[in-house]
Amino acid sequence: MKKLLLILLFLPILVSAQFGGNLQAYQVKIASYGATQNALLSLPDDYTSTSQNYPLIIFLHGYGEVGSTVQDLSRLIKQGLPKVISSGQKVEAVHPVSGQRTKFIVLAPQHHGWTTTPEAIEYMLTDLPKKFRIDTNRIYLTGLSAGGQGVIQAVTFKESLTKKIAAIVPMSPSAPSDDYMKNFRFFSGGYPAAWFFTGDNDQVTPPANARRYSDSINRYNQGGGTVTIYSGGHDGWANIYDSSYRVNGRNWLEWLLMHPHPGGPPVIDPKPVPKYTTILHDKSRINKIIVLDLDGKVTLYDSTSVESEGIKLEFK
């Protein structure tokens, strides 16, 4: 019994309330003295059956989804990424280069008045890897409207925090104060990568916001900021967070996977698995090639037919 109690003490605090999909209520620590925010948490469906680390997406909601109680978390599933997860869609993507399928951990903290502060996000990124298997080279921030502003504030708050983020996807971001604007110099190290989305008829957070942020990033990291302007107003995220929404053939999750932290393992262009491990030239047979394949099977080929298959010959 004592052993069981000890194990339970170290489990993350999950609340049993369900919000659709695999979303669970969670109390995320935001300060060393124990302060918390309510949040929705989505773990990959194979999390408990693997030992691997997963990329983390922190989603910041808009003003319409603020709240301070567990019951208020139901507001989060009305917009953005939590809405997509609540509908049953899994947050996963196939890497456009390696072809590897990757699943994400998603945390959506709820702020009581506007958006989660940079200080809170900074502490989360210290605390969460102690509780969950997070790939710290693939930590991503995204948010809509007030949450888009929260993302910008987080990456222009303190350079040490900026350097923990691999990429950001702010949608229709509100404007932060000038105190944050001067800190786009933190992007001079070449990251985080940034992909902004904004509506051409957005009367709440005009496209000029996203353009201003992207231009500020590109001033210090040319090509690091990109803006996609969709046809519509202050609601484009309803479609963009859905994995079926693509720009130039790629959705936002696939784009994230293409932008790991530069301090982590490089993205390696996959090479096709060789069909043959050893190719031997049998000198006793004119124009014949003996091929030993991966299963150990020996096959005799005419040299011209082997070359026509594009196989590199290695004469031993």
Side-chain angles (χ1 to χ4, degrees):
M1 179 62 72
K2 289 183 178 180
K3 184 176 181 180
L4 176 60
L5 289 175
L6 183 62
I7 292 173
L8 290 175
L9 285 174
F10 285 94
L11 286 176
I13 303 173
L14 294 173
V15 183
S16 60
Q18 295 296 314
F19 297 87
N22 67 345
L23 291 168
Q24 292 179 291
Y26 176 71
Q27 284 189 327
V28 59
K29 290 185 68 174
I30 60 171
S32 59
Y33 58 86
T36 63
Q37 275 183 218
N38 291 321
L40 288 181
L41 176 70
S42 170
L43 295 175
D45 54 10
D46 61 355
Y47 184 85
T48 58
S49 61
T50 72
S51 59
Q52 71 186 68
N53 294 337
Y54 296 84
L56 170 67
I57 297 174
I58 294 181
F59 167 85
L60 303 183
H61 61 76
Y63 178 67
E65 295 77 62
V66 299
S68 56
T69 69
V70 173
Q71 290 71 28
D72 289 340
L73 287 172
S74 60
R75 299 173 186 172
L76 291 183
I77 63 175
K78 296 179 180 179
Q79 297 286 355
L81 185 54
K83 181 179 180 180
V84 169
I85 299 173
S86 180
S87 71
Q89 188 172 131
K90 296 179 180 179
V91 185
E92 58 184 54
V94 174
H95 195 292
V97 175
S98 70
Q100 179 180 359
R101 181 171 295 277
T102 299
K103 302 178 181 182
F104 296 80
I105 296 173
V106 177
L107 181 78
Q110 187 175 45
H111 195 262
H112 61 85
W114 183 251
T115 189
T116 300
T117 66
E119 293 92 338
I121 293 174
E122 181 178 35
Y123 189 81
M124 288 180 201
L125 296 186
T126 298
D127 187 62
L128 287 171
K130 299 175 183 177
K131 295 180 169 67
F132 299 98
R133 300 194 310 275
I134 291 172
D135 181 349
T136 54
N137 288 313
R138 292 189 291 180
I139 292 176
Y140 306 108
L141 301 183
T142 185
L144 57 89
S145 193
Q149 175 185 319
V151 170
I152 297 299
Q153 290 177 170
V155 294
T156 56
F157 165 67
K158 186 187 294 184
E159 190 168 10
S160 59
L161 175 56
T162 308
K163 300 307 182 187
K164 292 181 179 180
I165 312 302
I168 60 173
V169 182
M171 300 197 187
S172 302
S174 299
S177 67
D178 289 340
D179 290 342
Y180 290 100
M181 291 301 299
K182 67 184 180 182
N183 288 334
F184 277 99
R185 56 190 170 83
F186 295 160
F187 283 76
S188 60
Y191 60 97
W195 190 4
F196 295 88
F197 289 86
T198 184
D200 61 0
N201 193 35
D202 192 332
Q203 303 300 311
V204 181
T205 57
N209 286 2
R211 291 194 183 101
R212 182 186 182 195
Y213 307 148
S214 183
D215 289 346
S216 297
I217 291 170
N218 289 327
R219 186 174 302 121
Y220 296 98
N221 176 26
Q222 186 60 44
T226 301
V227 179
T228 293
I229 299 178
Y230 56 82
S231 178
H234 195 62
D235 58 358
W237 51 79
N239 298 319
I240 297 169
Y241 281 116
D242 190 293
S243 60
S244 63
Y245 184 93
R246 295 178 175 273
V247 177
N248 296 326
R250 186 166 296 168
N251 66 36
W252 75 287
L253 292 172
E254 293 166 344
W255 180 86
L256 288 181
L257 291 178
M258 292 294 292
H259 293 88
H261 194 288
V267 177
I268 301 175
D269 213 338
K271 305 302 179 185
V273 176
K275 186 177 180 181
Y276 307 105
T277 54
T278 309
I279 300 177
L280 304 174
H281 179 225
D282 183 4
K283 294 181 180 180
S284 65
R285 301 176 186 235
I286 305 296
N287 295 326
K288 297 295 181 181
I289 301 295
I290 297 175
V291 175
L292 177 67
D293 67 18
L294 294 178
D295 297 322
K297 180 182 177 182
V298 176
T299 307
L300 188 67
Y301 282 89
D302 181 87
S303 61
T304 56
S305 67
V306 172
E307 291 172 353
S308 69
E309 292 184 24
I311 299 171
K312 180 181 178 180
L313 303 182
E314 296 180 8
F315 295 107
K316 306 290 185 180

